[in-house]
């Protein structure tokens, strides 16, 4: 995949009507501070289009990025933000659920998990939730530069086991610093784009 153009096209809040987009969508879900904005910026070859913050919970909207006028990256609100009150957390959950239920163009959901730690209860809940909506998440294990290369496969297995993921679930290690894993994610996107052309 070659990124030619990127445009933050739509931002949806809690009461917004979700857009009926003309191209396939790929959603990114993950706990606050797991590196979701950094991943999306890395995939888009942009430094700061998706806003990163030292303060977790920055993404409180659903953001649609139009890529090459042929697909959308959909940045979902970060979950598990400790200092958000329960009412706000419930609203974010409803937003994500409404999106997963109603998008006609959603093709795949990428679930981001920090490779350094065992998945949290929130991570497991999100994995199960996405599966219940009929999608099998593609797991991206972020911050892979923070562990030794020799430990990589052990941590990938820890993530898979911790999520109780299917044995054939894809786990792609990713580093925002070195961009390790970006080509593998592009390859997944390219497969969907190719199959979409065949269907057309």
């Amino acid at each position: 995949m070659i990124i030619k153009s990127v445009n933050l096209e739509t931002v949806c809040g809690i009461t917004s009507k979700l857009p009926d987009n003309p191209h396939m969508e790929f959603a990114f879900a993950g706990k606050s501070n797991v590196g979701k904005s950094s991943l999306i910026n890395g995939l888009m070859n942009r430094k700061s289009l998706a806003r990163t913050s030292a303060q977790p919970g920055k993404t409180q909207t659903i953001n649609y990025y139009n890529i090459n006028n042929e697909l959308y990256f959909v940045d979902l609100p970060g979950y598990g933000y400790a200092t958000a009150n329960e009412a706000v957390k419930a609203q974010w959950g409803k937003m994500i659920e409404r999106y997963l239920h109603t998008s006609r163009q959603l093709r795949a959901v990428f679930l981001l998990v920090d490779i350094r730690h065992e998945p949290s209860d929130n991570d497991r809940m999100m994995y199960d939730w996405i599966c219940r909506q009929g999608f099998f998440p593609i797991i991206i294990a972020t911050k892979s530069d923070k562990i030794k290369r020799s430990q990589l496969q052990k941590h990938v297995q820890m993530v898979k086991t911790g999520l109780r993921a299917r044995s054939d679930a894809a786990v792609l290690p990713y580093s925002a610093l070195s961009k390790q894993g970006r080509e593998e994610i592009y390859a997944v996107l390219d497969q969907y784009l190719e199959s979409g052309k065949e269907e057309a």
Side-chain angles (χ1 to χ4, degrees):
M1 171 172 282
I2 298 167
I3 305 296
K4 297 169 190 164
S5 66
V6 171
N7 174 36
L8 174 55
E9 193 171 280
T10 312
V11 176
C12 291
I14 286 158
T15 58
S16 305
K17 183 176 183 297
L18 299 177
D20 189 9
N21 286 321
H23 307 301
M24 56 181 72
E25 298 169 3
F26 298 89
F28 294 83
K31 200 163 48 179
S32 302
N33 79 0
V34 74
K36 189 155 51 70
S37 297
S38 298
L39 167 73
I40 292 171
N41 283 326
L43 291 175
M44 295 190 302
N45 275 337
R46 300 293 188 274
K47 281 194 174 155
S48 58
L49 191 56
R51 280 164 293 187
T52 57
S53 173
Q55 179 187 8
K58 192 78 174 168
T59 307
Q60 299 179 20
T61 51
I62 299 178
N63 300 331
Y64 293 78
Y65 297 91
N66 183 326
I67 313 295
N68 296 345
N69 280 319
E70 63 176 352
L71 72 152
Y72 289 90
F73 288 167
V74 182
D75 186 5
L76 299 174
Y79 57 84
Y81 179 40
T83 63
N85 66 46
E86 291 306 314
V88 170
K89 284 183 191 173
Q91 284 178 322
W92 291 354
K94 280 181 188 161
M95 278 174 76
I96 296 171
E97 189 170 28
R98 181 162 62 106
Y99 171 73
L100 293 175
H101 265 312
T102 60
S103 170
R104 293 187 308 117
Q105 293 286 10
L106 180 59
R107 295 296 183 272
V109 181
F110 292 94
L111 177 62
L112 280 66
V113 179
D114 189 329
I115 198 169
R116 298 173 298 175
H117 311 298
E118 284 201 28
S120 66
D121 289 342
N122 277 325
D123 291 324
R124 269 190 297 276
M125 221 161 59
M126 193 68 192
Y127 182 85
D128 292 341
W129 196 22
I130 294 166
C131 289
R132 282 202 299 274
Q133 307 307 319
F135 296 93
F136 291 105
I138 298 156
I139 304 155
I140 298 182
T142 62
K143 310 195 183 190
S144 65
D145 51 276
K146 307 281 190 192
I147 60 171
K148 290 178 182 170
R149 191 172 284 274
S150 60
Q151 296 287 302
L152 202 61
Q153 284 313 309
K154 177 184 162 192
H155 281 256
V156 162
Q157 193 54 50
M158 177 183 78
V159 165
K160 199 183 257 197
T161 305
L163 290 173
R164 296 191 284 269
R166 302 190 326 177
S167 59
D168 60 346
V171 179
L172 307 175
Y174 178 79
S175 163
L177 286 179
S178 69
K179 305 296 183 288
Q180 176 216 353
R182 181 165 65 177
E183 293 306 317
E184 287 80 357
I185 298 168
Y186 282 163
V188 171
L189 295 168
D190 282 336
Q191 281 179 340
Y192 279 99
L193 289 171
E194 284 304 313
S195 64
K197 284 173 191 168
E198 285 166 17
E199 286 169 18

